[in-house]
Amino acid sequence: MEINQKIIERLSKLNDDELTALFTEQIRIKKKNGTLGDLEKLIQVISPMLNEEQRQRLIKIIQSIKNQ
């Protein structure tokens, strides 16, 4: 999956509930097919491209998913 700034900008326009649902679905799919490591790599790749507000939102969303 190629991640670029346009995708990050599009995702940043979603509200936190929409992002949580999107990430939750991706985690479910990745767990099912055994590629959860791909999602971890994705997060590592996009993190440097995020501004501080986006990074804090991502952290909040990940913590929300972990608490589910």
Side-chain angles (χ1 to χ4, degrees):
M1 175 188 293
E2 185 177 318
I3 299 296
N4 59 36
Q5 196 63 34
K6 287 183 182 183
I7 293 171
I8 291 172
E9 288 173 14
R10 191 168 24 146
L11 290 173
S12 70
K13 292 178 183 175
L14 299 175
N15 68 39
D16 288 354
D17 291 334
E18 293 167 323
L19 283 170
T20 300
L22 181 66
F23 274 114
T24 301
E25 178 66 13
Q26 287 301 308
I27 289 169
R28 186 187 65 73
I29 291 168
K30 298 292 186 186
K31 277 184 178 179
K32 185 176 181 179
N33 67 18
T35 59
L36 192 56
D38 291 349
L39 191 58
E40 293 171 347
K41 289 176 190 173
L42 171 69
I43 291 170
Q44 291 174 348
V45 168
I46 66 170
S47 289
M49 294 184 243
L50 302 176
N51 64 36
E52 187 58 30
E53 179 184 343
Q54 292 167 327
R55 191 173 293 113
Q56 290 304 315
R57 284 184 69 204
L58 179 60
I59 290 168
K60 179 182 170 187
I61 288 164
I62 291 170
Q63 287 173 340
S64 173
I65 292 168
K66 286 174 67 174
N67 291 333
Q68 289 181 0

